[in-house]
Amino acid sequence: MPLTHTLGSITITALLDGAGSFFQPRAQAFPDATRAQWREADRRDPDAVGPDGGWWLPFRAFALRRGDGPVVLVDAGIGPADALAASWAPVPGRLPDELSAAGIDPADVRTVVLTHLHTDHVGWAGPLFANADHLVQRAELAALELFHPELPARLLGPLRAAGRLRVVDGDTDLTSGVRVLSTPGHTPGHQSVLVEQGDDRLLVTGDLLVHAIQLVDPALPYAHEENPPEARRTREQILRAFSPLTLATPHLTAPFTPHPHPA
Ligand SMILES: [Zn+2]
């Protein structure tokens, strides 16, 4: 059964689309990390160390739902065998099976928030969620040259033609207690989803951070951030502004991670 986390009346379900080894040595992915920082990251997230000593990472989406109401899906995974991520990610993903195991009918998904347009986050977006508006930041669409060349033809064009592409600018309320936050840096129009219920907060991060080492030190850059200084500023500012909170992450081994780390 997919893992869930409950916040007030909202259930957040972690949907594991796939898992695999990262395509480059982890010291290249986080070039500034020290040995002491790697030791601490490995203590916090031992399962992120793969069989070959490389970075082992999951690829997740998250479903947000109040009772049996409409579902907000945050990210859309690596996708099927012929997805745009096929050249580097462990496709085919299993999101449809995960949704079914979680008792979620794709027809009940009314909103898909694409945190950004990298191929491991858009894999199942489109016709599977025919009743859903797909939310993308305007700044992300303005930077299409950064993304897979087939993205407009395979995803964005058909979504627009179907009236299912919703372009937003900055922070945007979705439903009561659920809001999209603009979190640029990893990509120009990166966004995350904040859930607030009373004093409890949960952030579906997207790639605001991608490895436990960026919680050991949020200043650490990741080699595939488009704008590392902006990514760092955003990461530090969001963690400071909303802590304590639970982080729901696509790529850390645990889908739900408390921040700050318990002593
Ligand atoms: Zn990613």
Side-chain angles (χ1 to χ4, degrees), residues 61-245:
F62 289 88
L64 277 53
R65 190 174 213 179
R66 197 177 255 120
D68 57 2
V71 175
V72 174
L73 185 71
V74 185
D75 281 331
I78 54 181
D82 65 346
L84 296 177
S87 62
W88 69 278
V91 298
R94 48 189 311 276
L95 186 65
D97 295 338
E98 286 280 282
L99 285 166
S100 141
I104 295 171
D105 182 342
D108 290 333
V109 176
R110 299 303 164 82
T111 306
V112 176
V113 176
L114 298 174
T115 61
H116 62 298
L117 293 179
H118 282 157
T119 53
D120 58 320
H121 294 257
V122 303
W124 296 98
L128 178 62
F129 304 109
N131 297 330
D133 286 342
H134 290 60
L135 252 75
V136 182
Q137 289 281 328
R138 188 175 306 279
E140 196 77 346
L141 292 177
L144 278 186
E145 72 282 358
L146 298 175
F147 304 110
H148 196 293
E150 289 177 38
L151 197 67
R154 290 271 297 263
L155 178 65
L156 300 171
L159 279 178
R160 196 174 269 124
R164 288 299 183 187
L165 185 67
R166 184 173 158 204
V167 182
V168 294
D169 263 314
D171 296 359
T172 303
D173 287 336
L174 287 185
T175 61
S176 117
V178 181
R179 111 182 115 109
V180 166
L181 297 181
S182 163
T183 49
H186 181 73
T187 60
H190 192 278
Q191 55 188 350
S192 306
V193 176
L194 182 68
V195 183
E196 290 183 290
Q197 295 279 285
D199 291 336
D200 287 343
R201 283 184 293 269
L202 176 144
L203 184 73
V204 187
T205 60
D207 286 357
L208 177 70
L209 54 110
V210 297
H211 191 285
I213 204 155
Q214 289 179 299
L215 288 171
V216 172
D217 183 358
L220 278 179
Y222 166 51
H224 302 282
E225 289 164 345
E226 291 298 340
N227 184 333
E230 184 180 46
R232 169 187 175 164
R233 263 197 314 279
T234 299
R235 192 162 45 244
E236 291 179 331
Q237 183 237 319
I238 292 279
L239 291 175
R240 201 180 315 114
F242 297 108
S243 292
L245 83 171

Side-chain angles (χ1 to χ4, degrees), residues 35-84:
R35 290 171 65 138
Q37 288 169 332
W38 279 118
R39 265 198 306 279
E40 176 59 14
D42 292 346
R43 189 182 72 80
R44 292 190 192 187
D45 195 358
D47 294 341
V49 186
D52 53 357
W55 177 15
W56 180 264
L57 74 164
F59 297 85
R60 276 188 207 94
F62 289 88
L64 277 53
R65 190 174 213 179
R66 197 177 255 120
D68 57 2
V71 175
V72 174
L73 185 71
V74 185
D75 281 331
I78 54 181
D82 65 346
L84 296 177

